[in-house]
């Protein structure tokens, strides 16, 4: 069921479908209980927004390491809501914008959302929207203030709004008191069990069964013999390493070598 | 008497009624003596503004934790004044404004207020109006200076003005010497007794009587067996947890679990 | 003689009389030797400006705690000069001005003053004119530089100028070397004797003689039994507390209670 | 010879005579060897500029405490040069100018100076031209850079230029490396001998001979009996104190009292 | 094979060939295994971009000391890809640009690249594109944010993009979290063996065989007798020293002397 | 041979001759081996630029104390190159320019230089071009970035460029990593031997032989008897002191006294 999660999603009219699907370029591999839990938590907030009269606004933060799959999961949950209005606010569509242009684009998406009775807005990579730089540190305070207000501002009477935001910089959001604007938070972890890794390699079909078993065994041994090392790899990085190995004459060796370096030298 | 407090309020002509009522979306639940005290303190300052010749300007600050109900209470007191001019200055209506636009909007509301013989201005969420960010820290000094002057500037001879402001960042206001601009301050606390919690759950009608009793008992035991933990939950968060629980098949369990996490892991 | 001090003042033509009188909204209560000394010091500098050929410019700073009566006293001295040109520069008339607009307004008033043979300019609340914020700290350097020059710049040959400025932030003015621009400084203290307090309550007529005597005795006992506490209350705050008490059914109790909290909890 | 020094000066055509004379409002009192030395040092640099072919540009800094007489002395030396071009660059004529306007005004004066074969430019109160504020600290870097270059830039071939600058903030000029731009520096001290003080009081004629002798004796005794205290008073402050005393019924007492406070409480 | 590496490269149509060749002004001297490894690593990423469906975007960072040959090698790898679109983003073509103009130029190149099915963009000297200055430190946050997004933004569906970036300031890129945007990193070292140095001198033909042997022996002895010293010289600096020596009457002596100073006094 | 060095220079057409000669107002006195070495080092880089194909760009930094003669020497070397294009970039011709205007002027000069087959650009007083202020510190990052790129950017194929820059702030250039942009550096020292001093005084002809011998002897004795003191005086300052002494009746005494103060009180 390589592209299974994605297939379940039938996007509604008026939705920025192409952009959202671009975020899930390599599908959602269901490699373990974490992914199931995240998707079912997503379903719960969708239900709350639909049903509750007292909480017409629900805002949720997906946070976790770089490349862990936050954007792909937020996009997947958003599409699965089948709300009539689903929009993506992403730094990728605002390259080179001035602060004022960013604020105006963000406000516009929210104002459009307020018009639909049932809306979902995905706010991707908050630290990038904020122009965060750890030296200084620097950030756009005007974008920050815009988000601080919009994440708490309820839609007009009778309307409902779900906000799904992502970040790989939770600590910074805490320091900026942006965390207080969210009703709840969902953690997206890296791949940390060999069982999950195995199930992914099965799905990807890059290695034959024999190659896969050999690769995992060697890797497990390598990790075990380098005491502080432990398995922890973001899905995005894993996909890159598998593809890089695929170019090599000796793909298993290349994969094991790159992964061993990654896991032991960090 | 779920919506009782609100119902008592009959807004006067020329008043931004809709906006003020939006602030009290879930009514004012009278869950204990704190709420009574806050509302009667509000009544006192309304009287002073009306009657005293020597203090034609009275400014009051409502402060307390995030979600404690500051905005709902300030809006309720303002509406209960039945003054001919009652206006709300809120960050939510100034999303994306420049500093200059904010200052001009704020000044305009005060200038309008000066024209009415008896006015009330609610200045919501001062830290947000100031674009406060704890990293830096950063804030709009021009908005700050505008507020520092407006909070102390008396209306023209023969006119009266009541200012009700809210903040969840009292310490910052002290550092900015903005505290000195207020004549008095009212503290809005979180819910901290099981009696208050019980009376709220009764009002909300989400749980049956049996469920409610069971939930409270379990929660009380959980708190007691986690020594440093104690009951302290803002009304806004409580409403969210109750609604979230309502989506779950086993709503009592979900409610007790979420509340226990909230109270013991913080 | 509640409004006595004010009545003595007959404002000259071309003077911003209304604004200056607004500053002395509740008159000048002559509650003790401090007030007499300040008013006679004011008379001396008025004489020096009028008579001396070698010091055609005299600049004086009135400084003291928030609410001590600085603005009311500066306005009273200015009006008592009966100079043909008397103007008030106040942050209240420059709400929302840009730095450039402030500088231009300030310069204009001084340039007008230079045209009159005998002028008095009241520069109220310097820290506010400077947009001072203690976090940062931040301030308008261009307004500061304007004041630094104008406070020392003599009027054209044959003309005379008296500058009366006020501040509750003397330390900051010292750090900014603005203190060096003044020829002399007058300290405006809080009310610190029960005799002064008594004479004020007599004048205000809010309490009957019996109530007043009772209130003062109770207050004196409360202060004495709380060792570090001592009587020190700015006139502006005292007026607010008296008015607040006047709204209460039991006004003496309310007054004593509020004052006791003020004096012992700080 | 109260106005003697000034009278010796015959300003040349094309010179801003009025402004320069305003700087010497109370003349130059020749109260001791320091004043003689400063004036003769001034004569020497005037000669060098006139005569030397190898140093067509000479720049001199007059520095000393606030009110010591720096501006009056610089203006006097400049006027005594009798150069065909003598101009004053003063913060007082640039109140409210933007940085750009200041730079442009300063450049213009120098460019005009380059056109005359023999020029003298007085640059008064450098710290004020720089908009120096010790909090921050803040200053106009563009004005600083302009001065750093202009103070070292020689006039066109065959032309000569003398620059006389003043400051009460020598240390800051050292930190800003502006000191390196000057060829030499002249120190302007406060009045520090009773003989100098006496000769000034004689000239001013405010006190009778008996009053003067009495005042000085009392003052000397007061200083002697307050060990760390010593005589040190800027001429400008002394003039203010004498004028203030002159308003008093008992002028000697007032003078002695004010001077004693000044000298012993600092 | 002095210009051998370069000759192997046949640039495709629509490619900024002249600029790229300017970067390899003195060819690629194959002086050891490091150079071979770098060029073959370059070949691997070219293949991955061409072949993989799951990683349509690959971004690689070439880092190493100033003058080590990073730009020449990145340009060589880019040209060897023979992709239909190859462009150079270099600070040299943006001298005097404003931040906005830089961002717009950078975005334009990437947008053009997205239009070609197979593209390669060389981003030269990131620290310079960022206007990095270690005092402050200062940098252009808007250029940084542009790069942070562009280095991770995949081209449109079906298109492929290879990004080759260079820097001599890896540590700064780590602090700015820009490192996380790259899929992999290639280290470009200085010349550190006498064998490599010898092979370069052979190629350059500046010295006769006898001169070369003599020069290397003397240099080796000098390094050995100055204990902490060791051979480490960037190719660009070596080329400068050889050319400088060539001007001298006694070129071997000059070369040995300059190199000895370089290696022992640092 | 007072103006000897200068006379040897015959400026080529299209060269800003007047400006360059203004930099050598008092000629180049050949007072010792240091001056010879600097001029011959200058000749070497001129040759390298002319002859080498591999290094079409050579950039050299002249650094040393304030007044040591850096600008005069750089101008002299530039003029001696007799290149068809020789231009001076100097802060003196950019007084009051905005950052943008400075950058544009600097770029223009370099762009003109690129058009000539053989060019020399003198970049005078880098710290001043950068608007460097040690308080802050502050500097123009855009001018810095422009220089960082231009000092390393080779001219178009077949063209040659020599850059001669000067600074009295080498340490700052190191911190700003601007030092790495230069191929080599030449140190310009102060006058530090009595032999050099003697040869200069001979050339200047201000003193008779007897006066000179007497002056030097007295000075040498003064230095010797003030242990930490030693001879070290920049040529520019020496010229000023000699001229100043020339105005005095007793010129030898004045010279010895000023020099002794300079050398012993620092
Ligand atoms: N179970 C999964 N969860 C998330 N992504 C998955 C999963 N399985 C496969 N993927 C693929 O992995 C990639 C995850 O990349 P994504 O951009 O979502 O990560 P990210 O955490 O947002 O990264 P970044 O921190 O850089 O923003 C996508 O291409 C997605 O299709
Ligand atoms: N007794 C009560 N006091 C205040 N609010 C109450 C009370 N009972 C119910 N509510 C409801 O609780 C919510 C309080 O939210 P409100 O926005 O006023 O909190 P807040 O303290 O202003 O939050 P924030 O710190 O985020 O600004 C409102 O929806 C209000 O209707
Ligand atoms: N003796 C007095 N001196 C000063 N003010 C008095 C006196 N008696 C009564 N008042 C009244 O007290 C008030 C003093 O307020 P005022 O604004 O002058 O204080 P302030 O020190 O300027 O306050 P702030 O620090 O806020 O600027 C005025 O309303 C004035 O009429
Ligand atoms: N010997 C003297 N030297 C200087 N000023 C004198 C002397 N005798 C009298 N004066 C008078 O003293 C005053 C000196 O003031 P001046 O403005 O020159 O002082 P300053 O040092 O420039 O002050 P500031 O530090 O405020 O700029 C002038 O009015 C001048 O006429
Ligand atoms: N093997 C090689 N690798 C790289 N450059 C080489 C090699 N052989 C010769 N060169 C030449 O050396 C020079 C390397 O300069 P280049 O500008 O690439 O260095 P760089 O590391 O980018 O320097 P910078 O740190 O200043 O940007 C080029 O002229 C190039 O032609
Ligand atoms: N041997 C010499 N070297 C340099 N300058 C000399 C020499 N002999 C005489 N001079 C004269 O000395 C002066 C040197 O001044 P120059 O402006 O070059 O110094 P600088 O080091 O650039 O000073 P700054 O640090 O202020 O920029 C010139 O007038 C020059 O004609
Ligand atoms: Mg993401
Ligand atoms: Mg609120
Ligand atoms: Mg006041
Ligand atoms: Mg002065
Ligand atoms: Mg490079
Ligand atoms: Mg120079």
């Amino acid at each position: 069921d390589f592209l299974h999660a994605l297939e379940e999603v039938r996007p509604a009219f008026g939705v920025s479908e192409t952009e959202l699907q671009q975020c899930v370029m390599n599908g959602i591999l269901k490699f373990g209980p974490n992914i199931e839990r995240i998707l079912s938590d997503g379903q719960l907030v969708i239900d709350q927004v639909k049903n509750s009269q007292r909480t017409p606004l629900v805002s949720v933060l997906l946070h976790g390491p770089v490349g862990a799959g936050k954007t792909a999961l937020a996009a997947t949950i958003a599409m699965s809501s089948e709300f009539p209005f689903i929009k993506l606010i992403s730094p990728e569509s605002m390259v080179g914008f001035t602060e004022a242009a960013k604020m105006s684009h963000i406000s516009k998406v929210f104002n459009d959302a307020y018009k639909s009775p049932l809306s979902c807005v995905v706010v991707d990579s908050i630290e990038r929207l904020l122009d965060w730089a750890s030296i200084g540190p620097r950030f756009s305070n005007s974008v920050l203030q815009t988000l601080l207000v919009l994440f708490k501002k309820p839609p007009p009477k009778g309307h409902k709004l779900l906000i799904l935001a992502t970040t790989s910089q939770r600590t910074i959001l805490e320091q900026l008191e942006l965390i207080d604007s969210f009703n709840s938070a969902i953690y997206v972890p890296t791949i940390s069990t060999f069982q999950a890794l195995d199930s992914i390699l099965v799905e990807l079909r890059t290695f034959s069964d024999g190659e896969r078993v050999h690769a995992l065994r060697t890797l497990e041994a390598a990790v075990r013999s380098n005491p502080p090392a432990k398995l922890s790899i973001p899905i995005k990085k894993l996909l890159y390493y598998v593809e890089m190995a695929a170019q090599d004459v000796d793909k298993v060796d290349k994969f094991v070598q790159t992964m061993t370096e990654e896991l032991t030298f960090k």
Side-chain angles (χ1 to χ4, degrees), chain A:
Chain A
D1 51 16
F2 177 58
L3 280 162
H4 191 66
L6 191 61
E7 274 158 43
E8 283 171 9
V9 168
R10 283 174 313 170
F13 50 90
V15 171
S16 51
E17 203 181 334
T18 325
E19 281 176 325
L20 287 161
Q21 278 180 341
Q22 262 279 79
C23 296
V24 203
M25 196 192 286
N26 291 306
I28 297 293
L29 300 167
K30 300 207 172 150
F31 54 75
N34 278 327
I35 301 301
E36 304 289 351
R37 175 188 53 78
I38 293 168
L39 293 174
S40 87
D41 277 7
Q43 193 55 48
L44 264 172
V45 292
I46 292 169
D47 290 348
Q48 182 170 357
V49 169
K50 270 195 208 143
N51 305 331
S52 162
Q53 290 311 314
R54 292 194 185 109
T55 53
L57 168 71
V58 173
S59 57
V60 180
L61 178 68
L62 286 95
H63 61 102
V66 171
K70 303 170 297 293
T71 305
L73 287 164
T76 302
I77 295 169
M79 289 188 285
S80 81
S81 77
E82 304 194 4
F83 285 3
F85 182 97
I86 312 175
K87 273 277 160 74
L88 173 67
I89 293 176
S90 161
E92 296 189 359
S93 62
M94 287 189 267
V95 169
F97 277 35
T98 59
E99 273 188 87
K102 271 190 195 175
M103 281 161 69
S104 137
H105 175 73
I106 295 171
S107 304
K108 202 196 163 314
V109 173
F110 276 88
N111 282 331
D112 289 352
Y114 298 148
K115 287 173 197 151
S116 161
L118 208 53
S119 301
C120 176
V121 175
V122 177
V123 182
D124 193 35
S125 209
I126 294 181
E127 68 277 17
R128 211 44 56 231
L129 290 177
L130 294 178
D131 288 341
W132 175 263
S134 59
I135 294 183
R138 298 209 209 154
F139 59 95
S140 161
N141 196 26
S142 49
V143 171
L144 172 63
Q145 299 300 328
T146 300
L147 296 182
L148 277 165
V149 175
L150 290 177
F151 286 175
K152 286 177 76 171
K153 180 179 175 175
K157 212 165 179 165
H159 291 219
K160 307 295 193 73
L161 176 60
L162 173 62
I163 300 172
L164 296 169
T166 78
T167 191
S168 58
Q169 301 272 19
R170 192 189 205 279
T171 323
I172 288 156
L173 268 58
E174 273 164 20
Q175 287 174 47
L176 292 170
E177 281 139 35
L178 197 47
I179 282 292
D180 294 335
S181 303
F182 290 99
N183 294 116
S184 46
I186 297 177
Y187 180 62
V188 181
T190 55
I191 299 153
S192 58
T193 66
F194 281 92
Q195 199 178 334
L197 186 56
D198 184 64
S199 95
I200 291 166
L201 294 185
V202 168
E203 293 263 23
L204 294 180
R205 292 171 201 264
T206 305
F207 304 112
S208 71
D209 283 5
E211 288 172 337
R212 200 187 71 241
V213 170
H214 172 67
L216 286 176
R217 249 181 232 164
T218 326
L219 203 55
E220 217 170 343
V223 168
R224 217 181 299 123
S225 62
N226 281 285
K230 55 176 198 130
L231 180 60
S232 172
I233 183 111
I235 179 75
K236 209 162 156 186
K237 205 166 215 172
L238 178 65
L239 290 172
Y240 178 77
Y241 287 157
V242 170
E243 293 303 292
M244 193 176 66
Q247 308 310 313
D248 208 286
V249 191
D250 195 345
K251 47 187 177 175
V252 178
D253 264 26
K254 182 78 183 176
F255 176 70
V256 170
Q257 179 212 326
T258 329
M259 284 291 286
T260 308
E261 276 171 21
E262 174 77 24
L263 300 176
T264 56
F265 292 145
K266 278 204 174 175

